[in-house]
Amino acid sequence: GENVGLHLPTLSVQEGDNSIINCAYSNSASDYFIWYKQESGKGPQFIIDIRSNMDKRQGQRVTVLLNKTVKHLSLQIAATQPGDSAVYFCAGGGSNYKLTFGKGTLLTVNP
Amino acid sequence: SQTIHQWPATLVQPVGSPLSLECTVEGTSNPNLYWYRQAAGRGLQLLFYSVGIGQISSEVPQNLSASRPQDRQFILSSKKLLLSDSGFYLCAWSHGGNQPQHFGDGTRLSIL
């Protein structure tokens, strides 16, 4: 099955800096990956996704990088803002309907 | 646009009481529906998912059950709650495999 986990449980950055949150997975059959942001007391909010036929995808201030060779993906947030403070989850899936979630990284943005 | 609603937002129940949490989706048809539980400081554990009316797949043996009486309605139930059922319950929908799942704002369930 899928095993998705995160390298660091917490990350603290200064406002305006770039943030990088990392994630590793173990199932080579995984072909879909997604990042979520979860604020306290709320459900996870979709940020960006990527399929295994790509190695990079960009959104507004966010970039996801996928390295299939080492089974690693990362979320980069440019010019991090206080509103970016939250827990960030990666999740991975295959051809079935299920996603397996990592434990999450708490991002704290210092003003 | 699609929206997902969960209620109640918070619930305090005594041990041994029944449970019914409801989730409805608007603005889409034939969604895949999911129930997750999230323990404090942890990731999301998939409890049930459904690809159609009356079709329920259970991921972990537990004290809970799920039902899908209508296309866009997903219900999480228990006949007798245990202390270990406490947690943050999240409902989600998607258009299918390899598609984003979209979450409601959850129900915080406390068992006393």
Side-chain angles (χ1 to χ4, degrees), chain A residues 31-32 34 36 38 41-46 49 51 89 93-104, chain B residues 32 34 36 38 41-44 46 49 51 59 88 90 96-106 108:
Chain A
D31 57 6
Y32 177 70
I34 188 167
Y36 286 93
Q38 187 175 25
K42 294 189 176 182
Q45 178 185 6
F46 167 74
D49 59 0
R51 288 175 171 74
F89 290 96
S95 56
N96 61 25
Y97 303 107
K98 298 184 285 186
L99 293 174
T100 301
F101 285 79
K103 291 186 174 63
Chain B
N32 290 346
Y34 308 83
Y36 288 88
Q38 184 176 30
R42 299 286 190 92
L44 281 70
L46 179 63
Y49 72 95
V51 300
E59 288 296 296
F88 191 45
L90 289 155
N98 289 353
Q99 296 286 331
Q101 293 181 16
H102 303 279
F103 288 83
D105 276 336
R108 177 77 57 192

Side-chain angles (χ1 to χ4, degrees), chain B residues 25-37:
Chain B
V25 180
E26 296 177 356
T28 187
S29 59
N30 197 30
N32 290 346
L33 296 172
Y34 308 83
W35 278 112
Y36 288 88
R37 176 167 55 208

